[in-house]
Amino acid sequence: MTRRQMREHCFKMLFSTDFYPREETKEQARQYFSSPAEEETSEDGETEIIHEVEIPEKDREFLIDRVETMVSLVPALDEEINSVAQGWKTRRMGKVELAILRQALFEMRHDQEVPEKVAINEAVDLAKKYGGKDSPAFINGVLAKLVTAE
């Protein structure tokens, strides 16, 4: 599984944590892997798999642990995001954008294997795929401020 695929699964799992009590994070993460595959037909008639959870057990455990760690850091991540997101506090942000920002900031601050530029580029790509039309610019702007705020 590629890092991009892992990141996308991690984003989906992190996104879902906002809908359940924090103490259910691990169980909800495990249930993520029992969800059915989903596909979509694009405008040009091509069938694209948009959700597939056939993932090796070691990758599942990695994702579950990573999401649990991110959830435990949400207060600190949100505080840092709030410090630079002028006029936009995390409580007012869309859940998609907030999950993307949390994951990218986590990678920037806590994952030594991911360069900041990669974390930002991947976050913008997730915003293009899952967010609204203004999401990529918003995500890029907030993350750029976080880089300069260090």
Side-chain angles (χ1 to χ4, degrees), residues 56-146:
E57 187 62 33
K58 70 176 178 66
D59 292 339
R60 289 178 185 213
E61 291 304 318
F62 171 81
L63 287 169
I64 290 168
D65 290 344
R66 190 167 180 94
V67 169
E68 276 192 302
T69 301
M70 279 192 262
V71 167
S72 73
L73 294 171
V74 160
L77 296 171
D78 285 2
E79 183 178 321
E80 196 168 349
I81 292 167
N82 284 330
S83 74
V84 298
Q86 297 171 343
W88 283 97
K89 297 300 177 197
T90 53
R91 68 182 178 276
R92 292 187 53 225
M93 291 178 190
K95 292 195 183 303
V96 167
E97 290 77 14
L98 186 54
I100 292 170
L101 285 170
R102 286 171 173 164
Q103 178 171 298
L105 183 56
F106 172 82
E107 289 181 340
M108 292 164 59
R109 300 294 192 255
H110 302 281
D111 189 336
Q112 304 307 314
E113 294 180 24
V114 180
E116 286 180 337
K117 285 184 177 184
V118 171
I120 293 170
N121 288 338
E122 292 291 329
V124 169
D125 285 346
L126 284 171
K128 288 176 184 175
K129 187 170 183 177
Y130 293 102
K133 71 175 181 73
D134 296 329
S135 295
F138 177 73
I139 296 292
N140 190 53
V142 172
L143 294 176
K145 287 181 182 177
L146 286 165

